[in-house]
Amino acid sequence: MTTTTLNPERSADHIGELTLRRLRAGELDDAQASALQARIATDARLQRVMASLEEEEAAFQSEISLERFTGGVERAARSRPKRTGRRGVWMAISTMGLAAAAGLALFVMPSQHTANRMKGSAEILVVRIAPKAGLQREASASETLAAGDALRLGYSCNLSLSPEGCKGTRYLVAASIDDAGAVSPIYPEIGQGIAIEASNELRYLPDSFSFTGTGRERLVVVLADEPITADAVRAQLQAAFSTAAGNLEAPALAAFRSGEARVQTHLFIKTP
Amino acid sequence: MTNLRVIAGGKSSGNVPGDSPVALLYKRHGSSVYGRCLYILKNKAKAEDAMQDVFARALENYEGFRAESSPLTWLITIATHHCLNVLRSERAPWHRRFEQEEAARAERQETQPDSPQAYEAREAVRKVLERLDAECQAIAIHYHVDEMTLEEVARAVDRSVPTVRKRLEEISQAVRKEV
């Protein structure tokens, strides 16, 4: 196969398969859908793709019934790591009200903490561990977790220490990477990092999360002053994993860098 | 304060009244997500497991998922990353990879949706996917499977068009080595 064949140049008005899938899923507005249908009517290639998508759907529904699909998704949902919402364990110890910041409600919790100050800034990022049994604690650089231990992220910025430094919106992306190099998004799943406003009070993101399986997992939290995407952090983590030759304790990961953003990482040893 | 009342009716969505969220996901997006998982994992059972995980995740974040401008793009992106993670975690030894290739050849759809060249390109990319780095994997799939333009791929991976072109050339080189 020639390079030309593998990478054909496409015009700006090229209609790809994903666009046709979106048409079939009802995601295009009326005007877009009408224009696309008109193109399909006169384009043999697009007609072939549409026909193949219809065949694919028929084959899928004949192979996997709705009942089988539903059962499988329900089983998968039960085995997923739990992300408890507001009504979980955190409400039992929260003594302060909710605070909305940039459209994201952050929970204010008892502020006694010994969290690490993010290097060179007035900011504090807390990773709080709520074990299934035992007292809650703040995570140090390396921690052992038991199955079912929940984690939660909290943030504050000391306005009196750095009024200028705490101004404006930050963008948070959190992800983890395991011994095999598999990256799991935590916040957000996809798209731009979560926008949060600085506050003297320590505020927590609403959901907790937990890790499944055993082995080691490095949590990485990136705080940027400019918008940053989950995909960008994912790619950076995977590149760092290659540099580290798969060693989660190597500097490329232990001192992970993401451009000019502030980064905090924790290594978790997951036990059964 | 007056509570908001929801008034039923309005434009029909074409769905059967009372379709559950799971049924809607199945009908609208099931084949697309399964197809993506099968393309990457080359194994029907693993593809079905991966698909279930992806939809479980969508249901967990259902309101946010529905608010996406393109839920399908969200699902396919999640599915792509999830399946690439599965590939990495498995790290199949060379002889198991051979078995997967043989099984994939047997399972491959007979229809060629596009030109023979496009089909050949897709299959060639699939063979080398595991050996590409994360960024090239995403670019390869966006370009050769989703058939995005260079500009669309650049936006999806947050890189410039010249960088995407360069990565596509790296992918071509990987394919040439395979052949």
Side-chain angles (χ1 to χ4, degrees):
Chain A
M1 180 186 308
T2 65
T3 306
T4 310
T5 309
L6 188 60
N7 297 331
E9 286 292 332
R10 292 182 183 137
S11 63
D13 65 347
H14 170 85
I15 304 293
E17 186 179 292
L18 182 58
T19 302
L20 295 177
R21 287 183 185 275
R22 292 189 61 212
L23 172 69
R24 296 188 78 248
E27 287 188 358
L28 304 185
D29 63 37
D30 289 347
Q32 290 171 325
S34 295
L36 186 47
Q37 293 286 13
R39 281 269 308 255
I40 292 169
T42 59
D43 189 317
R45 180 189 76 88
L46 294 179
Q47 288 164 21
R48 279 198 302 275
V49 178
M50 288 294 280
S52 77
L53 295 182
E54 279 162 26
E55 285 175 22
E56 177 193 80
E57 182 174 325
F60 168 73
Q61 292 185 2
S62 130
E63 192 174 318
I64 300 176
S65 66
L66 175 58
E67 289 69 30
R68 178 167 149 184
F69 175 87
T70 303
V73 171
E74 285 173 356
R75 275 192 300 278
R78 282 195 296 273
S79 66
R80 271 184 61 71
K82 293 293 176 286
R83 289 174 74 114
T84 56
R86 296 178 181 189
R87 302 189 187 284
V89 63
W90 306 102
M91 285 301 289
I93 64 171
S94 172
T95 59
M96 307 188 75
L98 303 179
L104 180 69
L106 300 182
F107 286 80
V108 179
M109 295 183 59
S111 61
Q112 287 178 345
H113 60 86
T114 56
N116 293 327
R117 188 168 298 282
M118 294 191 92
K119 194 173 177 182
S121 78
E123 296 170 308
I124 288 174
L125 190 91
V126 170
V127 178
R128 197 169 185 89
I129 301 172
K132 275 189 92 172
L135 295 175
Q136 294 185 12
R137 66 184 189 278
E138 283 171 15
S140 59
S142 178
E143 290 277 354
T144 299
L145 297 177
D149 285 356
L151 297 155
R152 200 157 180 189
L153 299 183
Y155 171 77
S156 72
C157 195
N158 191 327
L159 287 153
S160 51
L161 192 67
S162 178
E164 284 304 309
C166 288
K167 264 189 189 172
T169 303
R170 283 109 183 86
Y171 299 89
L172 182 147
V173 172
S176 68
I177 185 164
D178 67 12
D179 286 314
V183 177
S184 300
I186 297 172
Y187 294 107
E189 289 268 13
I190 184 175
Q192 189 168 291
I194 295 175
I196 54 177
E197 299 291 340
S199 163
N200 269 335
E201 293 170 308
L202 186 62
R203 295 175 174 176
Y204 286 83
L205 294 178
D207 294 339
S208 61
F209 57 94
S210 59
F211 298 119
T212 58
T214 56
R216 300 182 312 162
E217 190 115 16
R218 181 169 285 284
L219 170 69
V220 168
V221 185
V222 175
L223 263 180
D225 294 329
E226 299 296 327
I228 184 170
T229 62
D231 261 358
V233 172
R234 169 192 295 275
Q236 289 162 355
L237 268 174
Q238 283 167 337
F241 186 82
S242 295
T243 303
N247 181 358
L248 295 183
E249 293 180 83
L253 285 165
F256 176 74
R257 294 181 62 83
S258 174
E260 299 299 314
R262 280 85 68 205
V263 178
Q264 186 162 312
T265 85
H266 299 259
L267 184 64
F268 294 108
I269 295 125
K270 301 175 291 185
T271 59
Chain B
M1 185 171 65
T2 306
N3 289 327
L4 181 68
R5 282 195 305 130
V6 176
I7 312 296
K11 187 175 175 183
S12 168
S13 64
N15 296 320
V16 173
D19 260 354
S20 67
V22 176
L24 285 174
L25 290 174
Y26 173 80
K27 286 175 187 168
R28 283 190 191 156
H29 306 304
S31 60
S32 292
V33 172
Y34 179 68
R36 177 56 50 89
C37 295
L38 188 59
Y39 173 79
I40 295 174
L41 297 175
K42 308 177 204 174
N43 175 288
K44 283 187 175 180
K46 288 179 186 173
E48 189 173 347
D49 282 346
M51 173 191 68
Q52 289 161 1
D53 283 337
V54 169
F55 282 117
R57 200 182 295 191
L59 285 171
E60 190 175 272
N61 303 291
Y62 194 59
E63 289 309 316
F65 160 74
R66 279 179 60 192
E68 290 283 330
S69 57
S70 172
L72 177 62
T73 305
W74 188 94
L75 283 167
I76 286 190
T77 304
I78 296 287
T80 301
H81 290 153
H82 179 80
C83 292
L84 291 173
N85 271 347
V86 170
L87 271 190
R88 250 173 244 120
S89 296
E90 285 181 349
R91 299 211 184 279
W94 69 269
H95 60 274
R96 280 169 55 194
R97 189 176 301 137
F98 176 75
E99 286 165 3
Q100 286 171 352
E101 298 282 0
E102 289 299 303
R105 204 166 286 127
E107 287 173 0
R108 194 176 305 145
Q109 287 179 2
E110 289 308 318
T111 54
Q112 295 185 14
D114 208 319
S115 64
Q117 291 88 350
Y119 178 75
E120 192 182 334
R122 203 177 286 202
E123 286 306 301
V125 163
R126 184 157 94 153
K127 284 183 184 170
V128 303
L129 208 54
E130 280 180 74
R131 288 203 286 283
L132 302 174
D133 65 36
E135 186 171 74
C136 285
Q137 285 173 337
I139 288 173
I141 289 173
H142 284 320
Y143 195 79
H144 293 291
V145 184
D146 296 332
E147 294 183 327
M148 292 183 181
T149 62
L150 288 175
E151 290 73 19
E152 287 172 331
V153 175
R155 273 197 299 276
V157 299
D158 204 22
R159 295 288 239 165
S160 67
V161 167
T163 299
V164 169
R165 252 193 246 276
K166 192 175 162 190
R167 295 288 177 266
L168 285 172
E169 178 51 37
E170 290 168 17
I171 294 162
S172 292
Q173 287 171 10
V175 166
R176 279 197 289 273
K177 279 186 191 164
E178 172 77 12
V179 168

